[in-house]
Amino acid sequence: QVQLQESGPGLVKPSQTLSLTCTVSGNSIATDYYYWNWIRQSPEKGLEWIGYISYSGNTYYKTSLASRTSISRDTSKNQFTLQLSSVTPEDTAVYYCARIWATLSYRYLDVWGQGTLVTVSS
């Protein structure tokens, strides 16, 4: 059984950095061919993909967020982390971590964390 669990502060001040950690159990984040994603959801934007870190440590971010986004990992803890800098109230959302299983033909968002609400407010 694979489980993903988000953790981190639920309140972040404007201009500061949002930092969340996803702890993965039941599946090594270094196992090919899995991609470890951050996705967020808000009433204003709906579901929005942020980026991922691959099983080999490569990262890829949504273009409009790339300058503010950093995803890293700690394989010894089987965790990966989202850092989103210079946040504004528009970054308020429920943040999810999720796994992509990649095959030659398809990409499956097959496992999701439960989500954690992050509010950006002073």
Side-chain angles (χ1 to χ4, degrees):
Q1 183 179 7
V2 180
Q3 292 184 308
L4 281 66
Q5 178 69 60
E6 303 90 348
S7 62
L11 181 64
V12 183
K13 294 181 178 180
S15 81
Q16 300 300 304
T17 297
L18 181 158
S19 183
L20 295 172
T21 296
C22 183
T23 300
V24 179
S25 61
N27 184 193
S28 171
I29 62 174
T31 299
D32 54 346
Y33 297 93
Y34 291 103
Y35 298 76
W36 306 94
N37 299 259
W38 288 101
I39 300 162
R40 66 184 184 182
Q41 183 176 38
S42 68
E44 295 78 16
K45 298 179 179 180
L47 282 171
E48 182 182 23
W49 179 78
I50 299 169
Y52 70 67
I53 187 163
S54 77
Y55 59 94
S56 62
N58 294 328
T59 56
Y60 189 77
Y61 310 126
K62 182 177 180 179
T63 301
S64 61
L65 297 173
S67 65
R68 298 195 291 133
T69 306
S70 178
I71 299 175
S72 58
R73 67 177 182 170
D74 185 339
T75 56
S76 68
K77 297 180 179 180
N78 215 42
Q79 296 176 330
F80 63 104
T81 299
L82 169 69
Q83 294 192 102
L84 183 67
S85 65
S86 303
V87 297
T88 73
E90 286 67 47
D91 292 309
T92 295
V94 176
Y95 285 76
Y96 299 91
C97 54
R99 183 180 78 169
I100 284 178
W101 175 40
T103 72
L104 290 176
S105 300
Y106 299 104
R107 306 288 187 266
Y108 301 92
L109 275 166
D110 61 348
V111 185
W112 294 64
Q114 66 180 358
T116 186
L117 174 64
V118 180
T119 300
V120 179
S121 176
S122 60

